[in-house]
Amino acid sequence: MALICEHNQRRAPVEPGALHILRATPQNVHWGYFDPAQAPSLKVKSGDLVHAEAITHHAGDAPELMMDDAVWKIFKEIPEEDRNPGVHIMTGPIHVEGAKPGDMLEVRYHRMTPRNNYGSNLAANWGYLYKEFDEKERVTIYELDPNSNNARAMYAYDFPGKYLVPGTVTECPVCDRQEALKGVRVPVRPHLGTAGVAPNVHGRVSTIPPGLHGGNIDNWRIGAGATMYYPVQVDGALFSIGDPHVSQGDGEISGTAIESSLNVTMQIILRKDFFFPSPLLETEDSFIVHGFDPDLNVATRNAALDMLKLLNEHHGLSRNDSYSLMSVAADFGVTQVVDATQGAHVRIPRDIFPPKGF
């Protein structure tokens, strides 16, 4: 199979085709699911550019700051009973001409720009330390400074009851606002928490767990300048994006990132010259593979096996050499521990290989 690219070179440019604008409207989004039967919102050819709007389902945590008329329209017109079985607002799906199961969808993320200068973090009932906080949920609202590329906490409030309904709108102008994180600045790094192709199943698949189709991977490195490779599972691929974040740490331990809507510019390229079994991330300096399972130990093992495959099949190292290299040069990390299906990742630097590597 063809190698992905040489490690010390930028990806070869692909002549862009048409530029498509995909607005987030009630007609162009699906809330909480992937579904191979979902009618496409857009059809593109390999190489086309897409400028798409990704809307956070947490906009209602500070509606006066994070909801404009178009966002309100999505929240008002999509009924609660149609927001299932997951929680994320997904823009798409995008049908890619000629895509077939066994192909790879290469998505080059060129630009991710916040829709507004605010975001929300929820310490949620699905958070890793929820019981240690007496099973109370708390929202922290952040303001983004585009000049310094940092975020600061504006205020926080305790969420009444349990945060269970996707698209909850909180009337925080009348809530008990509390000071939070005085003097602390958080680096802003916009990225997509959830993106992927439609799985080859019957009916809806929740957006909450990640999987081989992509989904809720929650890797903060999936931002501008990165490329993701998704294994195509159904005709047309049916690619969707959502769950936009402006900052997150590995683990996403409280249950969410700083959730905020993004405008995303990406190039979608159909690859028939190689295959990889799981979502593969390429950054400026690394390749990163992902593993998923309800058991974090199994997720880590799955990521290790796929890194072994990457080094053996796409770099030409023996399995023994690959195993040694993984131990001395690869970094293993916890992507997230809060989505039921947990995520691990393995990063290998690209500059350790000779010039005729990847």
Side-chain angles (χ1 to χ4, degrees):
M1 294 190 178
L3 301 179
I4 297 169
C5 67
E6 293 189 1
H7 86 272
N8 59 346
Q9 297 179 6
R10 296 301 301 270
R11 292 180 306 277
V14 174
E15 190 67 27
L19 171 62
H20 306 268
I21 308 297
L22 184 57
R23 303 290 185 193
T25 67
Q27 295 73 36
N28 288 340
V29 304
H30 45 109
W31 198 321
Y33 61 91
F34 293 92
D35 187 345
Q38 180 83 9
S41 299
L42 177 67
K43 293 186 177 182
V44 303
K45 295 181 179 180
S46 179
D48 283 0
L49 294 166
V50 179
H51 181 77
E53 298 175 337
I55 305 299
T56 176
H57 57 294
H58 280 278
D61 294 347
E64 74 283 7
L65 301 176
M66 298 172 63
M67 297 182 73
D68 53 34
D69 290 344
V71 176
W72 270 113
K73 188 175 179 66
I74 292 171
F75 276 58
K76 288 177 178 178
E77 293 191 10
I78 298 181
E80 288 185 12
E81 58 269 22
D82 199 26
R83 307 173 187 180
N84 67 82
V87 297
H88 308 101
I89 302 172
M90 305 300 296
T91 304
I94 300 170
H95 178 281
V96 182
E97 184 177 305
K100 298 288 183 182
D103 297 339
M104 296 295 289
L105 203 64
E106 176 182 336
V107 182
R108 300 182 180 183
Y109 293 111
H110 291 310
R111 192 171 188 178
M112 296 192 187
T113 306
R115 187 183 180 101
N116 56 65
N117 288 326
Y118 304 95
S120 168
N121 168 253
L122 173 66
N125 60 77
W126 58 89
Y128 196 64
L129 301 179
Y130 176 56
K131 291 184 179 179
E132 281 76 4
F133 286 86
D134 299 322
E135 300 189 353
K136 291 183 179 179
E137 298 180 88
R138 180 177 172 88
V139 174
T140 304
I141 301 300
Y142 288 82
E143 182 177 17
L144 317 181
D145 181 352
N147 294 317
S148 66
N149 210 35
N150 287 322
R152 68 172 185 89
M154 296 175 64
Y155 60 88
Y157 63 91
D158 293 331
F159 185 81
K162 265 195 174 183
Y163 201 110
L164 297 174
V165 179
T168 293
V169 177
T170 305
E171 294 300 328
C172 198
V174 296
C175 77
D176 180 18
R177 296 187 179 189
Q178 304 157 30
E179 185 177 71
L181 291 168
K182 185 176 181 180
V184 175
R185 294 292 182 268
V186 178
V188 170
R189 42 195 189 196
H191 61 280
L192 291 174
T194 305
V197 298
N200 185 19
V201 298
H202 177 71
R204 294 184 174 188
V205 170
S206 172
T207 57
I208 294 174
L212 300 183
H213 65 292
N216 194 21
I217 296 176
D218 281 330
N219 189 332
W220 62 262
R221 300 159 188 86
I222 306 175
T227 294
M228 280 292 291
Y229 301 88
Y230 302 93
V232 175
Q233 302 190 24
V234 300
D235 289 352
L238 298 180
F239 178 70
S240 301
I241 65 170
D243 190 24
H245 299 167
V246 294
S247 199
Q248 183 205 300
D250 283 335
E252 199 184 23
I253 193 167
S254 84
T256 73
I258 299 181
E259 314 278 331
S260 186
S261 301
L262 295 175
N263 296 324
V264 179
T265 302
M266 55 193 170
Q267 186 177 25
I268 299 176
I269 300 165
L270 182 61
R271 296 290 297 270
K272 293 179 177 286
D273 58 333
F274 84 101
F275 180 77
F276 199 72
S278 60
L280 173 63
L281 171 60
E282 178 187 359
T283 68
E284 178 72 24
D285 59 5
S286 306
F287 278 93
I288 302 172
V289 301
H290 300 89
F292 313 113
D293 194 84
D295 185 326
L296 188 57
N297 287 323
V298 178
T300 303
R301 181 178 176 83
N302 290 341
L305 289 171
D306 277 358
M307 178 56 76
L308 188 68
K309 179 181 287 289
L310 182 72
L311 296 174
N312 177 224
E313 296 184 6
H314 292 276
H315 187 74
L317 299 181
S318 71
R319 284 173 57 85
N320 286 331
D321 284 352
S322 298
Y323 192 29
S324 176
L325 184 63
M326 286 164 59
S327 192
V328 301
D331 292 319
F332 284 69
V334 176
T335 324
Q336 55 76 23
V337 292
V338 294
D339 294 330
T341 298
Q342 301 191 31
H345 59 266
V346 188
R347 169 190 171 273
I348 192 78
R350 294 168 59 175
D351 62 5
I352 64 175
F353 299 101
K356 293 299 181 182
F358 284 105

